[in-house]
Amino acid sequence: MPLFLQEPQIHESAQGPRVTPAAGRTAQTPRPVPGPRSAATPRPGRPVPGPARPTPPAQRAHPAPVPAPAPAPVAPTSAPSRPENRSAPQLQLIPAPAGGALDAAEEAVDLLLESGRAPGDILVLTTGEQHPWAAHELSFGDAAYWAQQDAGDDVFFADASAVDRAKPRPVVVVAVNGDAGDTVARALPVARDRAAALLIVCGDPQIINSALGAGV
């Protein structure tokens, strides 16, 4: 009697690892507001230790741009559109202890990417210990590290003490994970200026309110 081979069962790949939520966060923690829809992709991976530079995180695949049709002539209108107010980004505070602020910031980045934010839209600043990705990339030279910010095609992590070198991006996420002194007081107002649309701050609300003022 002839045997019939069964087709192999194809399983969907499991989703990648999720960042553990910050310690001390409650269910009422504010969540980042989704941005405009675009291709969501993972944030930069953590470095792999070793004497030689490991293979960099795989480049995110982006679909080839489709040429847009030539726009039709538009007749001038009597009421021009109002320009965007870039000096007043939306502010979101995510309460977290210093030890959990970086985890909270990473979770916020994941949510932003899942909601459709492009990786190049996001800048992450840390006031205490550097993000592992930033520490790893800096070990290969300052120029190569900052060149990745200039490329603007991925999430960029930087120390808040270097916030003056950070370029504006639509979304800035700040992890107040240490140094509750001059660095926080100086970095948060500058971070607010760097955020074109949304500023997310993860940390002690009292420290954040003191640095940004009563308008938070």
Side-chain angles (χ1 to χ4, degrees):
M1 184 174 184
L3 299 178
F4 296 90
L5 297 178
Q6 294 183 350
E7 294 183 358
Q9 186 68 29
I10 299 175
H11 298 279
E12 293 183 356
S13 60
Q15 293 183 350
R18 295 278 301 171
V19 179
T20 304
R25 295 186 57 196
T26 64
Q28 291 74 29
T29 298
R31 312 281 280 187
V33 173
R37 187 66 186 170
S38 65
T41 50
R43 57 183 171 78
R46 293 180 181 273
V48 178
R53 183 169 186 172
T55 302
Q59 293 294 325
R60 297 175 174 81
H62 297 286
V66 178
V74 179
T77 59
S78 57
S81 59
R82 183 175 57 184
E84 179 186 2
N85 183 3
R86 298 177 63 87
S87 64
Q90 182 180 357
L91 176 64
Q92 291 192 1
L93 169 61
I94 299 180
L102 184 55
D103 286 339
E106 289 184 322
E107 182 181 1
V109 171
D110 285 342
L111 290 171
L112 287 164
L113 294 174
E114 290 172 5
S115 69
R117 276 287 180 185
D121 284 353
I122 305 170
L123 167 68
V124 181
L125 300 172
T126 55
T127 66
E129 183 179 0
Q130 288 183 329
H131 188 277
W133 181 88
H136 173 70
E137 293 301 320
L138 278 167
S139 68
F140 299 103
D142 191 72
Y145 166 74
W146 287 103
Q148 298 184 60
Q149 174 186 231
D150 297 337
D153 57 2
D154 213 339
V155 180
F156 188 74
F157 297 84
D159 192 288
S161 63
V163 68
D164 291 334
R165 296 187 64 177
K167 294 184 177 180
R169 289 197 175 189
V171 182
V172 176
V173 181
V174 181
V176 183
N177 61 332
D179 190 352
D182 294 340
T183 299
V184 176
R186 185 179 67 87
L188 287 185
V190 179
R192 179 171 53 190
D193 293 339
R194 296 293 187 271
L198 176 63
L199 172 65
I200 301 172
V201 187
C202 308
D204 186 323
Q206 186 174 2
I207 294 173
I208 296 169
N209 290 338
S210 176
L212 287 178
V216 176

